[in-house]
């Protein structure tokens, strides 16, 4: 295992050098490319990114290395906080009539149980707006990225589009978006917007979703509204009858219809099975049970032997008083109801009449709002979320080059580390299987009759061992010591214990209400401490439930 870890460490150092070289190479290539905005977070983000000063947003952003790398990113540092940070573009970016690639990396270093890790691409704000006032009310053009909480598990893509008829902005959500990867590796998310109205969502460079902005099948609600809508002023007439069937008004209950007849009756033809033991109870006192020597009737109450199944009943058809079984009543008909007939006044299900939609419009291309800033505004229950390599590019190939140079080498290092950890975990699982067999044997040993008085102590040791697998050997030695001690006392003298075969040493009998330990009794047991292994707790034996 040590050799494997050493080899793994050597591989990670080699990969680290590769990342540095490729990153430098990528910078030289991409710096002269069509990258409209690129943020690697290799330098302090202060001054370039503005943290919201709104009271609700008290989450602290930090510049932090990605675990296992020398690469830095923007870190969500605390759990259960709201975070908001924004970077304004030097000039507004028009999205019309061109290909635009929106891309960024996210690493969920502690997983993601409930929270968002998406970006907001803000449209130009109202006059007087300041970046430090950024919050969830700041209007955006596009929201894109992973979001997971409860039943929500998707890579969001939301377009806010302005209706040219009424001037209202509507959120249009991508239908059936891809799900969020569930591991803790760095993943890269790409949204490609093309001039032919196409949207493509890529996760780690692999296309997961293709959609058309103008298709009603791809967005909810559709960008292009319906031509007609139900008339909001239309009301259902009072005499409108929507009942397709009605009870027959001419039907009469038959004279022989008995509504009070029971569903089941006693089967008078049933005969008691031969060999039925009328005088034998189903349960009897356990003949092998003995009253403990230290049982105090005044303190513990009258001792009662635990119940066991009557062995005579096991070979007989039954025991106790025999009663005829019930059978279905042939005369049972239940409550009488008039049969249903077609409603002569049925007019169908009413709905308002359609009228032309005053907000209907037709377009050949979406009217994208320009992007004026990029913001991260999230409320998350998770820490350790790391954002990196945020890119806006005017060419799909530029986005691909960043994936290959900045993301992929880093991702490969993480995958190799994950494989090594899984291999080690596999060895640990094998050891756990071995330990499980040991614990199973120990539980069987604890059930041996001559150890009954020590059963609670031994079981307690085993349960501690299951919670702390690293002390398995110590637990095994402790149980062996207990066994040898009991054998020594039985062979060479000492006060022998009588086996108490009551419900306390039985593993299957449920407890009745009279077996509950009171608070005072519990306190007494706690005060005894280590003396608990000297004598079993005093309590009334339970009876078996029927």
């Amino acid at each position: 295992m040590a050799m494997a870890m050493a080899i793994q460490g050597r591989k990670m150092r080699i990969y680290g050098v590769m990342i540095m070289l490729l990153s430098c190479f990528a910078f030289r290539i991409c710096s002269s490319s069509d990258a409209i905005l690129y943020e690697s977070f290799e330098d302090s983000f202060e001054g370039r990114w503005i943290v919201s000063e709104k009271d609700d947003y008290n989450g602290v952003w930090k510049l932090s290395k990605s675990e296992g790398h020398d690469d830095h990113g923007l870190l969500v540092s605390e759990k259960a906080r709201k975070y908001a940070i924004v970077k304004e573009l030097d000039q507004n970016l028009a999205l019309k009539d061109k290909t635009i690639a929106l891309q960024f990396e996210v690493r969920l270093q502690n997983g993601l149980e409930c929270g968002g890790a998406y970006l907001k691409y803000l449209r130009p704000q109202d006059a007087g707006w300041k970046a430090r006032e950024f919050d969830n009310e700041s209007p955006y053009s596009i929201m894109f990225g992973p979001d997971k909480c409860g039943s929500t598990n998707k890579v969001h893509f939301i377009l806010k589009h302005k209706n040219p008829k009424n001037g209202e902005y509507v959120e249009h959500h991508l239908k059936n978006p891809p799900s969020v990867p569930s591991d803790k590796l760095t993943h890269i998310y790409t949204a490609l917007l093309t001039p032919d109205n196409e949207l493509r969502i890529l996760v780690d460079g692999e296309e997961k979703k293709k959609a058309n902005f103008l298709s009603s099948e791809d967005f909810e609600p559709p960008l292009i509204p319906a031509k007609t809508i139900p008339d909001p002023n239309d009301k259902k007439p009072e005499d409108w009858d929507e009942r397709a069937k009605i009870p027959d008004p001419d039907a009469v209950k038959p004279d022989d219809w008995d509504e009070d007849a029971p569903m089941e009756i006693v089967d008078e033809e049933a005969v008691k099975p031969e060999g039925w033991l009328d005088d034998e109870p189903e349960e009897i006192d356990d003949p092998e049970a003995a009253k403990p020597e230290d049982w105090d009737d005044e303190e513990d109450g009258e001792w009662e032997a635990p119940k066991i199944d009557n062995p005579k009943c096991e070979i007989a058809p039954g025991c106790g008083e025999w009663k005829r079984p019930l059978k279905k009543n042939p005369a049972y008909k239940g409550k009488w109801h008039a049969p249903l007939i077609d409603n002569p006044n049925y007019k169908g299900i009413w709905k308002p009449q359609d009228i032309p939609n005053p907000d209907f419009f037709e377009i050949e291309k979406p009217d994208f709002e320009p992007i004026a800033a990029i913001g991260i505004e999230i409320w998350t229950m998770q820490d350790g979320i790391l954002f990196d390599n945020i890119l806006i590019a005017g060419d799909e190939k530029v986005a691909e080059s960043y994936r290959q140079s900045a993301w992929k080498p880093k991702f490969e290092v993480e995958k190799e580390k994950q494989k090594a950890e899984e291999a080690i975990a596999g060895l640990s699982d094998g050891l756990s299987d071995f330990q499980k067999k040991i614990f199973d044997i120990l539980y069987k040993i604890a059930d041996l009759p001559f150890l009954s008085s020590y059963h609670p102590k031994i079981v307690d040791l085993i349960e501690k061992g299951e919670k702390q697998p690293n002390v398995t050997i110590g637990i095994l030695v402790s149980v062996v010591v207990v066994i040898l001690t009991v054998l020594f006392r039985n062979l060479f003298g000492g006060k022998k214990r009588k086996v108490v075969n009551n419900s306390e040493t039985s593993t299957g009998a449920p407890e009745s209400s009279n077996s509950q330990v009171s608070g005072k009794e519990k306190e007494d047991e706690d005060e005894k401490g280590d003396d608990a292994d000297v004598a079993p707790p005093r309590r009334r034996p339970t009876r078996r439930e029927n």
Side-chain angles (χ1 to χ4, degrees):
M1 187 180 297
M3 183 177 294
M5 294 299 292
I7 295 173
Q8 177 63 24
R10 194 177 301 117
K11 285 184 178 179
M12 292 183 65
R13 288 194 293 272
I14 294 172
Y15 277 124
V17 174
M18 291 174 61
I19 290 175
M20 293 178 61
L21 294 174
L22 288 171
S23 297
C24 296
F25 178 68
F27 178 77
R28 285 194 292 271
I29 293 177
C30 298
S31 61
S32 59
S33 68
D34 196 14
I36 299 168
L37 177 142
Y38 176 61
E39 175 60 78
S40 66
F41 295 105
E42 288 308 308
D43 300 319
S44 174
F45 59 86
E46 295 180 6
R48 294 181 294 111
W49 289 75
I50 307 300
V51 177
S52 175
E53 296 179 0
K54 289 292 188 74
D55 292 339
D56 289 347
Y57 298 92
N58 55 2
V60 178
W61 295 98
K62 291 184 178 180
L63 190 69
S64 175
K65 286 185 178 181
S66 181
E67 184 180 341
H69 306 291
D70 289 330
D71 189 36
H72 288 78
L74 184 63
L75 180 70
V76 171
S77 63
E78 298 174 288
K79 297 180 179 179
R81 294 285 189 273
K82 286 185 176 182
Y83 291 81
I85 191 170
V86 66
K87 176 180 175 60
E88 295 183 282
L89 274 62
D90 294 335
Q91 59 183 17
N92 294 345
L93 170 63
L95 301 179
K96 299 179 181 179
D97 303 323
K98 64 177 67 175
T99 294
I100 293 293
L102 309 175
Q103 183 170 278
F104 65 99
E105 295 175 13
V106 172
R107 186 177 187 186
L108 309 173
Q109 296 178 117
N110 297 324
L112 183 61
E113 295 175 2
C114 187
Y118 42 77
L119 268 60
K120 289 184 175 181
Y121 299 85
L122 307 184
R123 67 174 187 255
Q125 307 296 298
D126 294 335
W129 181 84
K130 294 180 176 56
R132 62 176 179 271
E133 298 174 352
F134 174 51
D135 61 10
N136 65 325
E137 299 295 329
S138 301
Y140 63 85
S141 297
I142 292 171
M143 191 173 95
F144 171 53
D147 187 20
K148 185 178 180 182
C149 191
S151 60
T152 299
N153 182 352
K154 57 187 175 182
V155 179
H156 271 301
F157 187 93
I158 303 174
L159 171 66
K160 270 198 174 182
H161 191 265
K162 184 178 181 180
N163 185 309
K165 281 290 188 71
N166 58 24
E168 294 182 357
Y169 285 91
V170 178
E171 285 188 359
H172 302 277
H173 293 246
L174 178 66
K175 290 183 180 180
N176 303 315
S179 58
V180 181
S182 59
D183 54 45
K184 300 179 183 180
L185 307 181
T186 301
H187 294 281
I188 189 164
Y189 300 89
T190 310
L192 298 173
L193 292 67
T194 64
D196 56 357
N197 301 330
E198 187 176 81
L199 168 67
R200 293 166 56 207
I201 303 295
L202 283 64
V203 179
D204 296 344
E206 180 182 351
E207 184 177 297
K208 297 293 185 179
K209 179 72 176 180
K210 180 184 287 187
N212 188 294
F213 281 108
L214 303 186
S215 171
S216 61
E217 301 296 323
D218 292 333
F219 282 87
E220 179 62 37
L223 264 71
I224 300 178
K227 289 184 178 182
T228 61
I229 59 171
D231 185 354
N233 299 317
D234 196 9
K235 295 182 179 179
K236 182 172 69 173
E238 293 183 0
D239 61 348
W240 191 280
D241 196 338
E242 294 182 325
R243 298 174 300 165
K245 298 281 186 179
I246 60 171
D248 185 354
D250 299 325
V252 179
K253 182 175 72 173
D255 294 335
D256 62 348
W257 192 288
D258 185 359
E259 292 186 327
D260 298 324
M263 184 181 296
E264 292 183 321
I265 58 174
V266 175
D267 185 359
E268 298 294 345
E269 299 178 356
V271 178
K272 181 169 64 175
E274 185 177 353
W276 187 281
L277 304 178
D278 297 85
D279 299 328
E280 288 290 340
E282 294 182 0
E283 291 185 333
I284 61 172
D285 290 341
D286 186 354
E288 297 182 2
K291 180 178 179 180
E293 290 181 352
D294 57 353
W295 187 278
D296 188 329
D297 289 339
E298 292 185 0
E299 181 180 343
D300 302 321
E302 182 182 354
W303 183 83
E304 297 177 359
K307 293 290 187 179
I308 63 170
D309 291 333
N310 190 341
K312 295 180 181 180
C313 298
E314 295 180 2
I315 58 175
C319 291
E321 181 186 359
W322 180 82
K323 295 180 180 180
R324 285 187 171 87
L326 297 177
K327 69 174 184 178
K328 185 177 180 181
N329 184 4
Y332 173 76
K333 294 183 179 181
K335 293 294 181 181
W336 181 84
H337 299 281
L340 298 178
I341 61 172
D342 292 335
N343 182 2
N345 298 320
Y346 177 66
K347 294 183 178 181
I349 303 299
W350 183 87
K351 62 178 183 179
Q353 63 179 347
D354 287 338
I355 60 172
N357 184 358
D359 297 327
F360 172 74
F361 64 88
E362 290 185 284
I363 54 174
E364 294 184 356
K365 293 180 179 295
D367 187 16
F368 295 112
E369 294 286 333
I371 296 175
I374 296 179
I376 305 174
E377 186 273 317
I378 56 177
W379 182 16
T380 178
M381 303 303 293
Q382 212 70 41
D383 60 352
I385 301 174
L386 194 74
F387 294 88
D388 198 7
N389 292 324
I390 298 175
L391 171 72
I392 300 179
D395 189 336
E396 178 181 351
K397 293 181 179 179
V398 175
E400 182 180 0
S401 70
Y402 276 94
R403 287 197 302 272
Q404 294 297 324
S405 60
W407 166 77
K408 191 170 184 179
K410 181 165 52 178
F411 179 72
E412 293 297 335
V413 170
E414 295 167 7
K415 275 181 64 177
E416 288 296 321
K417 182 180 178 183
Q418 179 178 267
K419 287 180 181 178
E421 290 173 349
E422 289 174 351
I424 295 173
L427 293 174
S428 299
D429 290 342
L431 182 59
S432 297
D433 291 338
F434 174 71
Q435 288 173 322
K436 185 177 183 301
K437 292 178 181 178
I438 292 178
F439 290 131
D440 289 341
I441 294 172
L442 291 177
Y443 275 118
K444 292 178 181 178
I445 292 174
D447 289 333
L448 292 175
F450 76 93
L451 292 174
S452 59
S453 297
Y454 294 88
H455 183 274
K457 187 70 173 180
I458 296 174
V459 170
D460 183 59
L461 283 171
I462 299 172
E463 290 176 347
K464 288 180 180 178
E466 287 181 315
K467 295 177 182 178
Q468 306 176 54
N470 58 314
V471 297
T472 302
I473 301 301
I475 297 298
L476 184 59
V477 171
S478 300
V479 173
V480 170
V481 169
V482 172
I483 294 172
L484 292 176
T485 301
V486 175
L487 289 175
F488 181 83
R489 287 182 178 178
N490 288 343
L491 291 174
F492 299 103
K495 184 177 179 179
K496 296 182 180 179
R497 301 179 180 275
K498 288 188 178 181
V499 176
V500 181
N501 188 8
N502 57 22
S503 60
E504 181 145 335
T505 57
S506 171
T507 59
E511 292 187 0
S512 61
S513 59
N514 66 353
S515 67
Q516 298 297 320
V517 179
S518 68
K520 180 65 171 63
E521 289 173 331
K522 184 67 174 66
E523 291 175 5
D524 292 341
E525 289 173 17
D526 292 341
E527 290 175 1
K528 290 178 183 178
D530 294 337
D531 291 337
D533 65 328
V534 176
R538 294 180 176 180
R539 54 189 293 183
R540 181 188 298 275
T542 61
R543 291 189 174 274
R544 297 171 60 89
E545 294 182 352
N546 292 331

